[in-house]
Amino acid sequence: MVLPRGIRQHMLKSVWEVRQGRIAASVRQVIRTKNQRKSTVTNLGKATKMEEVWESICRKLKRLLTFQKSVSAQVRDLEKSMTAAEKERAKHRMEIMMSEDDDGVDQPRDQKHSNDSSEEEHQKFDPYPETSPASPKGHPHAARPHSTATIEA
């Protein structure tokens, strides 16, 4: 609630028995605080810029003294290693696919998955992998029968 100055001073003097000198000192302190806030807001842009420059200098000196790479250089190195790992994975997958294709090159496709092939080859091609004997009970697809029959092309 905002009170006019006269009413405020009358209340302070009569009800609270505050002297005029004390009121004047409080008003001066309020004015001083307002002026400090204004100057802080005015100088904030300059001080902030100087603080950022100082922090940047400190970070660079720390990297220099600890022989640490800059963040952008670290990111570049990580991206290179990630790309190399992806290439290696792709190469490995290609080798696996090529070796699987080479297994039945001399045989026609229908003989590749014939009934006389080993159980190990049947496990390689599982049309319903989620219904394998190792799947947990209560799995939504567990009701499907696990077939070991071969698929002929």
Side-chain angles (χ1 to χ4, degrees):
M1 180 167 136
V2 179
L3 295 174
R5 179 180 175 194
I7 296 174
R8 260 194 334 264
Q9 282 188 346
H10 176 70
M11 285 176 61
L12 286 170
K13 288 179 184 176
S14 64
V15 177
W16 296 96
E17 298 176 357
V18 178
R19 294 188 178 153
Q20 182 64 34
R22 176 110 171 146
I23 294 172
S26 295
V27 169
R28 283 190 213 106
Q29 182 60 40
V30 169
I31 291 171
R32 223 179 280 127
T33 304
K34 282 183 183 180
N35 289 336
Q36 285 176 346
R37 287 183 186 139
K38 284 179 187 177
S39 66
T40 300
V41 170
T42 304
N43 296 330
L44 192 59
K46 299 172 193 171
T48 304
K49 184 66 177 168
M50 288 303 295
E51 286 179 22
E52 288 176 7
V53 168
W54 181 251
E55 288 172 0
S56 175
I57 290 170
C58 290
R59 280 193 308 268
K60 289 176 184 177
L61 282 174
K62 183 179 176 184
R63 273 198 310 263
L64 194 77
L65 295 174
T66 59
F67 302 106
Q68 188 179 17
K69 294 180 182 178
S70 68
V71 173
S72 59
Q74 291 176 9
V75 168
R76 234 183 338 232
D77 290 347
L78 288 173
E79 286 175 344
K80 284 181 185 177
S81 64
M82 189 173 68
T83 304
E86 287 174 355
K87 286 181 181 178
E88 188 65 32
R89 256 188 250 119
K91 180 180 173 185
H92 183 67
R93 273 189 245 122
M94 184 61 79
E95 289 173 355
I96 290 172
M97 288 173 54
M98 295 298 284
S99 69
E100 287 176 356
D101 287 346
D102 290 344
D103 288 346
V105 169
D106 297 338
Q107 301 175 355
R109 184 165 173 84
D110 58 341
Q111 289 181 359
K112 195 181 204 184
H113 294 289
S114 65
N115 287 335
D116 60 339
S117 61
S118 69
E119 180 66 28
E120 188 175 294
E121 287 181 16
H122 286 293
Q123 289 177 353
K124 282 184 185 176
F125 180 78
D126 187 2
Y128 302 109
E130 64 273 357
T131 60
S132 66
S135 67
K137 291 184 179 182
H139 190 275
H141 301 291
R144 277 195 237 166
H146 182 69
S147 173
T148 57
T150 61
I151 296 178
E152 302 202 11

